[in-house]
Amino acid sequence: HNNWQMPHPLDMERFYSFIIEAYKNGDTQITADDFSEIIKPVCNINEEELHEWLIKYENGIELLKINNDK
């Protein structure tokens, strides 16, 4: 969690698992505030990095939606 620009592969795997579980639970819409409440206690990142990870989350959800609509 020290460097979110080059996270450890296991961190990425956990983040992707988080996205998949959120999708499975129907949590496909999340506000920036809610995302911040979930991520900030676990990782010490600034607002810019947090926004980048929110975009990664949203992109992951969109990919899952597209894949499951096929």
Side-chain angles (χ1 to χ4, degrees):
H1 301 296
N2 292 333
N3 184 353
W4 277 70
Q5 298 304 320
M6 292 291 271
H8 189 278
L10 291 178
D11 292 338
M12 288 306 305
E13 187 174 321
R14 286 188 284 267
F15 185 70
Y16 294 146
S17 293
F18 167 69
I19 294 170
I20 291 167
E21 287 302 312
Y23 179 80
K24 285 180 182 178
N25 291 333
D27 300 330
T28 58
Q29 304 267 335
I30 192 168
T31 66
D33 289 339
D34 289 342
F35 188 79
S36 177
E37 287 180 28
I38 294 167
I39 299 299
K40 274 199 165 183
V42 179
C43 306
N44 184 23
I45 58 176
N46 64 39
E47 290 301 315
E48 184 179 326
E49 292 170 316
L50 184 65
H51 181 72
E52 290 172 13
W53 283 92
L54 176 58
I55 291 170
K56 290 179 185 192
Y57 172 87
E58 291 171 341
N59 288 341
I61 294 292
E62 285 304 310
L63 284 171
L64 289 169
K65 285 180 184 178
I66 290 167
N67 183 59
N68 286 329
D69 286 345
K70 291 183 177 186

